[in-house]
Structure formats: structure tokens, C-alpha cells
Amino acid sequence: MSTSPLYYAKKTQELCALSDVYITLNRMLSSDGCSLEQLADAIAYEPAIAASILKIANSAMFSMPRKIDSLSKALTILGIKEVKKLVNAYGITAAFSNLDPNVVDMDKFWEISVDCALICQYFAKNKQIPNTDNIFLSGLFHNLGMLAMISSEPAKVRYCEGYDRDETPWFRQNQVFGFTFADCTTELLKLWDLPDSIIQPIAEFNGAEHEPLPDNSKLLYMASRLAVINADPGLYAKEALIDKAILDDLGIESSDMSQSLEYCNEQAMELLATFPIQGRKSSE
């Protein structure tokens, strides 16, 4: 029996199906002829998504000058690009909302995922890194392969998540499976036909220390490591986990990383409470 990343991705595709509402909305958002009015009508039939869009539109993430109190107004202000990002974030995370939270620490998993997304977003904006329109989603989804493998390999996944200061998460994943969870994420997102601009950094970032990569992949590499450091204070030093040459390439200094963590710590709880995930707020 094959144990490739694609094998686990195909099994997950059967167990964690995307909702019909998400598929319909994504199809509409990909159509050139879709108007904001049509989109608002479709989203209105799914109150959970509508509420999430309103919550996020009013969050500090977008810093709107006044409260947005209607879905149509939210769509108009945010625009198609941001709405597509939010629909993707909601739809993909919802597919994993019913997993057993007792296999691994799901709160920690989503904390790292959301932190990674926010760190990516912070630096994409503040350092004006090119080709990062979808880097928030790349950060949010980068480790979904772990969830994809829980039902098939619970004990091995639990072991991989029990990493310590002597073995990084990525070392253990390679040691146990011969690939990282991000490799499984890549195959799963391909099966779900997500845009290559989301998948490409996920497919590449773990190789950043060994081969030349575009800046968006380097950014995801840095953010994924920084998110792990933030979730386990004192376990790893930044200097040990993040290659300085990559930071230099991106023009990122230690003070920049500290500021990015302040940014994500301010907003992470709000996002954890908004998406249909087993984050700290949603599980209380």
C-alpha cells in the first residue's frame, strides 16, 4: 500500500468533503460575470459564512473607518478579491471542523496556522513582498496535511506533534513519513483545485534553506517557523530555527519579527473565533 502524500490526500478528500455552498460560492467568485449583488444573494443563504464575513470585515484586520452592518456593504467595501479569500478560508477550514480533537492538540494546531497566516499578511504588506496576494491563505492552510493524516495514522501524527528542542516538527515528519505535512497539504489542495498562487509557496517553503526560492516561499518558511516559536515560548530560539540568510534576503530584522508577533497576537483570537475551527474561542 502506498504511503505517499497523495495517498493520504485522496483518503482525506473522501472523509472531509467541501460543502456544496462553498463549491457554489467559489464557482461564482471564479466567474467573470459574477456581480456583488448575485454574490450577496448566494451568501445570504448560508448565515454562518455571512456572519463570518461581517465579523472579519469589522475586525482590526481591515481597519474600516466605520462599522459595516450589512452583507452587501461588506462585499462592496472588501471587494471580490478579499471576499474570495474569506470564502476560501471559511470553506476549507469547515471541511476539518468535525475531526476528533483528542488525537492531537487542535487548539495549538489552529493557533500556529492562524499565527502563520497573520505573520505572512503582516510582512507581505509592510515589506511589499511580491506575489503575495494569497499568502494569508498559504499560511492558514500550510499544515493541513497533519489533519489529513490523523484518521489514518493517529499514533504517528501524535508522535510528530510531540517534538522537542532537539528535533524540529519538520525533522520528525520526515523521519516518520519520509515527507512533511506540507507535502500532503500540497496534494490535497491540488485535488480541491485551489489556485496555484496558494499552493506554490506551500509546496516549496520547507526547502528554503537548501535551494533558491521566490520571496513568497521564503516568507512562508519564516512565518511557519516564527508561528511555532510563538506557540511554544522558550522551546526554540529564533536564531536556531530561522536561517539568517533568508531573513536578510527578505529584509527582515529581529525587531520586525517582534512587531509581527504583536500584530498576530492582537488579532489571532478574533480569527480563531470566526472560522469554523477548533480554536480556543470556538471550543469554549
Side-chain angles (χ1 to χ4, degrees), residues 82-277:
E82 290 297 336
V83 172
K84 188 169 186 177
K85 180 192 297 183
L86 298 179
V87 168
N88 269 311
Y90 190 96
I92 300 299
T93 54
F96 293 96
S97 61
N98 293 319
L99 289 178
D100 183 357
N102 297 312
V103 177
V104 294
D105 188 343
M106 295 295 289
D107 289 345
K108 180 180 175 182
F109 171 86
W110 285 116
E111 177 186 356
I112 290 173
S113 298
V114 168
D115 282 358
C116 183
L118 289 168
I119 293 167
C120 282
Q121 178 171 271
Y122 176 88
F123 283 113
K125 178 180 179 181
N126 286 278
K127 296 295 180 180
Q128 298 184 332
I129 297 173
N131 302 317
T132 51
D133 283 352
N134 280 320
I135 198 66
F136 175 88
L137 293 178
S138 298
L140 184 64
F141 298 157
H142 80 282
N143 212 30
L144 285 180
M146 189 201 88
L147 302 188
M149 298 167 71
I150 282 178
S151 60
S152 300
E153 305 283 4
K156 290 181 179 179
V157 170
R158 190 182 297 113
Y159 171 77
C160 288
E161 286 298 286
Y163 54 83
D164 53 36
R165 66 176 62 250
D166 296 321
E167 294 182 340
T168 68
W170 312 280
F171 176 86
R172 282 208 176 186
Q173 292 160 29
N174 270 308
Q175 182 186 53
V176 173
F177 294 106
F179 56 84
T180 67
F181 293 152
D183 295 319
C184 185
T185 305
T186 298
E187 297 299 337
L188 180 61
L189 298 186
K190 286 179 180 177
L191 291 175
W192 279 343
D193 200 28
L194 263 67
D196 184 62
S197 58
I198 297 173
I199 299 172
Q200 168 254 314
I202 298 173
E204 297 177 346
F205 77 98
N206 276 323
E209 295 178 10
H210 310 293
E211 54 189 292
L213 293 176
D215 285 351
N216 59 353
S217 299
K218 293 177 183 176
L219 174 56
L220 182 56
Y221 157 86
M222 184 278 300
S224 65
R225 272 65 181 167
L226 194 53
V228 167
I229 291 170
N230 197 39
D232 282 303
L235 185 61
Y236 300 114
K238 295 185 183 74
E239 298 77 14
L241 214 59
I242 304 174
D243 191 318
K244 186 178 185 302
I246 294 174
L247 295 177
D248 291 342
D249 288 345
L250 295 172
I252 293 174
E253 300 180 357
S254 180
S255 59
D256 296 322
M257 289 191 285
S258 297
Q259 289 169 13
S260 75
L261 291 179
E262 289 178 13
Y263 171 80
C264 79
N265 289 338
E266 288 172 0
Q267 300 193 41
M269 291 296 288
E270 191 168 16
L271 283 182
L272 284 168
T274 299
F275 293 137
I277 58 181

